[in-house]
Amino acid sequence: MRKISLPVRLALLVAGTMSPLIIFASVIIYRGYEKDRADASARVLENARSIRTVLDAELRRMTGGMQVLSMTDSLRSGDFDLFRRIALGFLEQYPPGGVVLVADRDGRQLFSTLSSDIAKLPPSGNIEMVRKVFESGETVYSNLFVSSVLKTPILTVEVPVRVDDQVVYDLSFAPPMAAFQGILERQRPSPDWTISIFDSEGTNVARVPNPEETVGRRASATLYAEMFKSPEATFETVSLQGVPLITAVARSEVSGWIVGNGIASASLTAPLWRALAITIAVGILLLLIGVGFALRMASVIARGEAQHALLVEELNHRVKNTLAVLQAIASQTFRGASKTERDTFDGRLGALAKAHDLLSQEKWAGANVQDVVNRVLEPYAILGSPRLRISGPKVPLTPPRAVMMSMILHEIATNAAKYGALSNEAGTVSIDWRLVLEPAGERLRLTWIESGGPRVHAPTRKGFGSRLIERGARDQLGGSATVDFLPTGVVCTILSAVG
C-alpha cells in the first residue's frame, strides 16, 4: 500500500479537526434556535395572558362604573335629565367617542348621551343583547356590531337596571374603540409582534399593525380553525397579510373575547440562517487557512527533519526537567502542612473562584400619597366629589410602601362599598393625611372616616383583610393601622414611615 505523504496527512488532519467543529457549531446554533423558538412560544402565550389580564381589568372597571350608574336614583326613577349629567361625568374618564344608552325591553332607546331628542333615537342595533339582559338579569358583553346611531362598528357593556328586583332598563355603554386599540399599542413588545382582540365570534375588534385594514374582519383561516379549541393555546398560523406567525391565544373569562398575539417566524429563522451562513463561511475560511498552514509546515518539516528530531529530543529533556522541578516544589510546599491548612488553602481558592456575583436591581419610580389615594378611589369617583373628601400634602412613598398603602386602602374602600358609607346613596368618606412628629421620627398619619352609611357593627372575627391591614402596616409601612367600628361609621388610622 502506498504511503500517504506528510503534506496530505497534515491537510487531512486539519480538515478532520475543523469539520467536526463546524458541524458542532452548527448543531449548537440550531439547538439555540430551537430553544429560542420554545422561549418565543412561551413568551407569546405569557404576553397573551398579560393582555387578557389588562383587558379584563379594563372591562371590570367599565362594568363597575356601569353598575354604580345603574343604582342611581335618577335613572331608576326615569329622571333622564338629571341622569344625563351623571352619565356625561362617567364618560369623562374615557377618550372621546364613548356613548351611554338606556333601552327598554323592546329595544326602544329611551336615553342617549349623543342626543336629548328621544324621538330621533332609533331602536337598539343589537336587540338580542337587550333581550339577554332582561332575561338573564346579568351583565352582557356584546360582539362587534354596527351601531344604529353612530353607524360604525362598536362593542357594548350592558348591565340591568333593577327596581324592586325587576329589570326595568338595559343600561348600555359603548366604549370608544380607541380604548382597546390603546391597550394593544401599549402592550406590543416590538414591531415584529402582531396582536389582536377578537370578539367571541372571532371578529377583529382591535389590532396592531394595520387596524384600518383588519378591524371588523374575521381572523385568518389558520387562526380561526384553532382559536376556539382551548381557552389557552400556542400554535403556528398565517396572518391576514400572509405572514407566518408563532401565535398564542387566551380567552377572557369575563367577556368571552379572545386575545391573540404572535411573533413573526422570520424573526427567529432569519438569525438562524444568518448565523449558520457565518459559521460555515468562517469555518471554510479557517479550514483553507489551516490547510495552507499545514502544507507550509509540511514543507518546512520535510526540509529540516533532522533538526526537528533534535528539537524533539531537547523538548523531551526540558519537559522531564520541568516535571522534576514541579515535583520538588510540591514536596517542599506540603511537607509540613496539616489537613486543616490544606483545607484552608482549598477554601481560599474556592472563595476566589466565587469572587463576584452580578446584581440587577429594578428601578421603580415612587409615588406620593395623593397619587395612591386617587388611584384606589378612581372606581368610586362616579359617586361625585361631595361624597369623597380628600385632602393632604404631597408626601412621597418608596415603591414598596406605595404598593402596601394601595393594598390597604383598596381593602378599606372595598369594605366601604360593600357594607359602609359607599354602599348607599348618602354616605360620605373623608380621607385626610398629614405629617406628624413622633419620638421615632417624622411619620405619615392617614385617617379614613366614614359617615352617613348603614349602622356599623364590629365583626366577630378577624378576616384576611384585617390581617393584611395590620401586618402590612407593621411590616411594610414601618408603622401601624387601627380600625374602629363606630356606630356612625368606620374610622381607620394608618401610621407609616415617610419616604
Side-chain angles (χ1 to χ4, degrees), residues 43-355:
R43 194 162 66 250
V44 294
L45 180 57
E46 187 61 31
N47 196 59
R49 290 169 175 167
S50 175
I51 297 173
R52 178 184 61 186
T53 300
V54 174
L55 176 62
D56 285 351
E58 181 63 20
L59 290 177
R60 287 191 177 99
R61 186 169 77 94
M62 293 178 183
T63 304
M66 292 291 288
Q67 289 172 342
V68 172
L69 279 179
S70 71
M71 293 186 293
T72 57
D73 290 338
S74 56
L75 174 59
R76 297 167 70 183
S77 63
D79 186 353
F80 294 121
D81 290 334
L82 177 58
F83 179 68
R84 180 175 300 277
R85 293 197 298 271
I86 301 175
L88 291 175
F90 169 78
L91 292 178
E92 289 179 355
Q93 61 185 310
Y94 295 97
V99 180
V100 174
L101 303 168
V102 178
D104 62 12
R105 182 181 296 272
D106 297 324
R108 186 171 64 255
Q109 295 192 38
L110 306 177
F111 171 84
S112 171
T113 53
L114 293 177
S115 174
S116 59
D117 189 351
I118 299 177
K120 293 183 178 180
L121 296 178
S124 172
N126 198 353
I127 187 64
E128 292 182 3
M129 292 296 102
V130 175
R131 290 171 180 167
K132 192 173 182 179
V133 169
F134 275 90
E135 291 172 0
S136 67
E138 302 290 339
T139 299
V140 174
Y141 301 91
S142 77
N143 292 321
L144 197 69
F145 68 97
V146 177
S147 168
S148 59
V149 177
L150 300 175
K151 307 301 181 184
T152 58
I154 62 169
L155 293 161
T156 59
V157 179
E158 311 200 18
V159 301
V161 179
R162 298 177 182 275
V163 175
D164 297 331
D165 290 333
Q166 296 295 322
V167 178
V168 294
Y169 297 128
D170 169 37
L171 178 62
S172 174
F173 173 45
M177 301 303 288
F180 302 111
Q181 192 68 29
I183 291 175
L184 299 189
E185 291 172 354
R186 291 190 297 271
Q187 297 293 319
R188 191 184 189 192
S190 72
D192 293 330
W193 289 67
T194 299
I195 312 176
S196 294
I197 297 175
F198 302 95
D199 64 18
S200 62
E201 295 179 347
T203 302
N204 268 289
V205 172
R207 187 180 190 271
V208 285
N210 306 320
E212 300 83 3
E213 301 174 8
T214 53
V215 170
R217 295 177 59 185
R218 199 172 77 170
S220 65
T222 53
L223 175 56
Y224 190 81
E226 299 289 339
M227 65 191 304
F228 300 106
K229 293 181 179 180
S230 174
E232 292 183 353
T234 305
F235 39 80
E236 295 185 7
T237 64
V238 178
S239 72
L240 291 171
Q241 286 75 33
V243 179
L245 302 173
I246 299 174
T247 302
V249 295
R251 184 181 303 130
S252 167
E253 295 182 356
V254 175
S255 62
W257 300 347
I258 299 172
V259 173
N261 77 147
I263 185 172
S265 299
S267 65
L268 299 176
T269 55
L272 167 68
W273 295 119
R274 184 166 57 250
L276 287 176
I278 293 173
T279 300
I280 293 173
V282 171
I284 292 175
L285 177 62
L286 293 177
L287 179 61
L288 294 175
I289 294 173
V291 170
F293 182 74
L295 295 176
R296 181 179 177 84
M297 181 181 291
S299 176
V300 173
I301 292 173
R303 290 195 305 266
E305 201 163 11
Q307 182 180 3
H308 178 265
L310 179 62
L311 291 175
V312 169
E313 290 181 4
E314 178 66 18
L315 179 61
N316 287 336
H317 180 68
R318 289 180 179 272
V319 169
K320 290 178 181 179
N321 287 342
T322 301
L323 291 175
V325 171
L326 289 174
Q327 185 176 15
I329 291 174
S331 177
Q332 291 290 336
T333 301
F334 292 105
R335 176 177 298 174
S338 64
K339 183 177 183 303
T340 301
E341 291 172 332
R342 289 195 296 271
D343 291 343
T344 301
F345 180 73
D346 291 340
R348 289 173 179 172
L349 288 180
L352 182 62
K354 301 175 181 178

